[in-house]
Amino acid sequence: MARTVWDSTVGKKTVMAVSGLIMLLYLVVHMIGNLKIFFGAGEFDHYAHWLRTVGEPFMHYEWTLWLVRVVLVAAVVAHAVSAYQLSRRDIRARPSKYVHKKPRASYATRTMRWGGIILGLFIVWHILDLTTGTVHPGFRPGHPYQNVVDTFSTWYGNVIYIVAMLALGLHVRHGFWSAAQTLGVGSRRRDRALKTVADVLALLLTAGFIAVPVGVMTGVVS
Ligand code: HEM
């Protein structure tokens, strides 16, 4: 039964929609949390510490954080695998000989594919930059405020994050809309409202995330 659902196109699209919505929820929380940087190092670093102790004493140190990490990794893998398989299926379904060599994938589909690849690469860079510090000269564990200020004091840090946040906005805008259609929320009456929700969500998410590098670049956060 589960096998049949997974093998179907609708099944894979449902996996994409559900995993996408899980990541979206995480991103909304992450973006709001990041805005605490505007309240100073004390508050931001205290918040980062709380992320590790949340649920205590029932949960041990970092257990809740690891639970969230496991769910997120599962969502990323499910999303990427189904996206890859759906696009293979789409390519295979093309008629073999073109009269015109025009790609069949629409503008939106191509943007989603490239956007997904950019975001996948960004997540790897971002974790190496601000979680493990592998690519971050002078990284100080337990001092995320200073680490974030350092990241956005380099030109490449600003370029990488801002480009990724713009890709994120486009991806969420179309992805949210597609997920609603897959999950059967769309209808002639609701489509306009859904498009507005997708636009507003994408805009708030992008603006909220970009506020941090802009804050550092303008000296509001230092
Ligand atoms: C300007 C934008 C962003 C800033 C300033 C930022 C900042 C941070 C910081 C400081 C951490 C480390 C937190 C800690 O260790 O306590 C972190 C972790 C993380 N961020 Fe972001 N983030 C941004 C955008 C994003 C985006 C767009 C995504 C996803 C596409 C994302 C996904 C993650 C993930 C998965 C982690 C790792 C959590 C963990 O396992 O510890 N972030 N971010």
Side-chain angles (χ1 to χ4, degrees):
M1 166 71 186
R3 183 83 228 172
T4 323
V5 173
W6 171 245
D7 282 343
S8 72
T9 297
V10 175
K12 289 186 202 297
K13 284 192 175 172
T14 306
V15 169
M16 292 218 69
V18 174
S19 54
L21 290 174
I22 291 172
M23 291 187 281
L24 184 59
L25 179 68
Y26 170 79
L27 283 172
V28 170
V29 175
H30 189 28
M31 184 274 283
I32 295 172
N34 281 355
L35 293 177
K36 281 174 152 298
I37 203 147
F38 291 100
F39 297 106
E43 190 154 336
F44 193 69
D45 290 355
H46 179 251
Y47 164 62
H49 179 70
W50 173 81
L51 288 175
R52 285 148 177 89
T53 55
V54 63
E56 279 183 0
F58 180 68
M59 298 299 256
H60 186 66
Y61 183 74
E62 283 198 349
W63 274 12
T64 311
L65 181 64
W66 274 103
L67 206 66
V68 173
R69 285 172 174 164
V70 169
V71 172
L72 276 180
V73 169
V76 170
V77 171
H79 204 73
V81 169
S82 36
Y84 177 76
Q85 295 181 340
L86 280 169
S87 81
R88 295 289 314 159
R89 210 167 258 198
D90 185 36
I91 291 165
R92 269 203 306 272
R94 285 179 198 175
S96 57
K97 284 202 175 72
Y98 288 114
V99 179
H100 303 292
K101 279 230 161 101
K102 222 171 78 180
R104 205 177 67 125
S106 67
Y107 172 75
T109 305
R110 278 180 287 135
T111 319
M112 290 307 275
R113 284 180 195 162
W114 280 109
I117 292 167
I118 291 173
L119 289 169
L121 292 172
F122 166 76
I123 292 171
V124 174
W125 175 265
H126 180 44
I127 289 174
L128 296 177
D129 178 27
L130 287 173
T131 300
T132 64
T134 318
V135 296
H136 187 122
F139 181 79
R140 289 172 66 199
H143 293 83
Y145 182 93
Q146 192 53 49
N147 294 331
V148 169
V149 170
D150 288 349
T151 285
F152 298 125
S153 303
T154 63
W155 67 266
Y156 59 86
N158 287 310
V159 170
I160 292 171
Y161 278 77
I162 292 173
V163 168
M165 292 319 106
L166 295 175
L168 178 73
L170 291 175
H171 203 81
V172 164
R173 183 168 175 246
H174 186 77
F176 182 82
W177 159 258
S178 306
Q181 302 306 317
T182 299
L183 299 176
V185 185
S187 72
R188 271 252 292 269
R189 209 163 42 83
R190 269 187 248 136
D191 277 359
R192 257 176 72 127
L194 276 173
K195 278 215 162 104
T196 311
V197 173
D199 285 350
V200 171
L201 199 62
L203 202 70
L204 284 181
L205 209 55
T206 305
F209 274 127
I210 287 184
V212 179
V214 170
V216 177
M217 280 192 277
T218 52
V220 174
V221 175
S222 62

